[in-house]
Amino acid sequence: MAWTKLLHLTDTHLVPPGQLLYGSDPHQRLQAAVRSMATEHGDAAFCIVTGDLAHLGEPAAYGALQDTLAALPMPVHLMIGNHDDRVAFCRQFTTTPVDGAGFVQQALPFAQGLLLTLDTNEPGVPHGVYCPRRCQWLADRLHDSGDAPLWIAMHHPPFDVGLPSMDAIGLHDAAALTEVLAPHLERVRHLFFGHVHRPISGSWNGVAFSTLRATNHQVALDLSRRDAIPGSFEPPAYAVVLADSRQTLVHSHDFLDDSRRFDL
């Protein structure tokens, strides 16, 4: 079976056009990512964006996001994170599917199986929540999917990542999600998430996972600090994912890297 190429982008943290965030322009950073994706990987089947789309959930930020992503030649599937406002998001992105309870999550069939995008946003708190209604939606989709291979995408990781400042605001009811997934873990090929603004990969309950740097600012690598979240301006990235029935490969692309290229 041929590869399916998909793109993973996360934590765009857009503010209204013309404003800066931590001294950087997240809109310009996102535009650069979109140009790179369209030019270098326009053949991707789709792009997923795993939350924190807007820094403060402003309608103007979502409008800028929609206008910028319109330049991509492939479908874009959006999730929301703790910085997002579900109501403002849904008013702007009226065609993005929501479940029966109004959560921004969907089941997306593609050539290799099924991608499940989850909504872990809980208004007013930075940590993630996956409540009983969301768990029931997921349980129903898993039941309906038969024996299809599964890929999962969400904002908050359902486990600690070794960064104390971020682990404190991870998915707080991860046990409930884990219980729903447990009978199906052998079918889960990969888990994508955002939130932590760092390139991290590994395995969780036997499931491979990956996340990557955001497009504007990063969380610095500090495995001991708990009092605050340390930030940095390490290079932004998006991921180019190649998936088939046997494996999922994740290539991180530092799209602003202008270092000289040459033949080896």
Side-chain angles (χ1 to χ4, degrees), residues 12-22 24-28 30 52-65 83 216-217:
T12 53
H13 282 264
L14 284 199
V15 293
Q19 295 185 16
L20 300 180
L21 180 63
Y22 305 121
S24 177
D25 188 334
H27 191 206
Q28 288 185 356
L30 177 60
D52 279 1
L53 309 171
H55 188 63
L56 295 175
E58 307 99 326
Y62 289 127
L65 177 69
H83 278 261
N216 186 67
H217 57 280

Side-chain angles (χ1 to χ4, degrees), residues 24 32 98 102 105 110 112 130 135 139 152 163 191 219 245:
S24 177
V98 297
Q105 45 188 21
F110 71 109
Q112 312 301 343
Y130 209 68
C135 282
I152 297 174
L163 302 169
L191 169 66
V219 173
S245 60

Side-chain angles (χ1 to χ4, degrees), residues 113-124:
L114 187 69
L115 173 67
L116 297 165
T117 69
L118 310 186
D119 182 341
T120 60
N121 169 283
E122 185 70 10

Side-chain angles (χ1 to χ4, degrees), residues 213-228:
R213 297 190 192 103
T215 54
N216 186 67
H217 57 280
Q218 316 309 335
V219 173
L221 181 59
D222 190 322
L223 302 181
S224 60
R225 190 169 180 186
R226 300 174 182 272
D227 61 320

Side-chain angles (χ1 to χ4, degrees), residues 198-259:
R198 290 222 55 79
I200 304 173
S201 60
S203 64
W204 165 70
N205 289 330
V207 174
F209 67 78
S210 63
T211 186
L212 64 156
R213 297 190 192 103
T215 54
N216 186 67
H217 57 280
Q218 316 309 335
V219 173
L221 181 59
D222 190 322
L223 302 181
S224 60
R225 190 169 180 186
R226 300 174 182 272
D227 61 320
I229 299 173
S232 74
F233 279 120
E234 296 166 66
Y238 64 82
V240 182
V241 181
L242 303 175
D244 69 8
S245 60
R246 301 164 301 152
Q247 63 191 97
T248 302
L249 298 175
V250 182
H251 297 268
S252 181
H253 181 33
D254 296 348
F255 58 88
L256 292 184
D257 176 28
D258 61 356
S259 59

Side-chain angles (χ1 to χ4, degrees), residues 90-115:
C90 290
R91 284 176 178 164
Q92 184 68 45
F93 293 92
T94 56
T95 61
T96 297
V98 297
D99 69 13
F103 295 110
V104 183
Q105 45 188 21
Q106 58 180 315
L108 296 161
F110 71 109
Q112 312 301 343
L114 187 69
L115 173 67

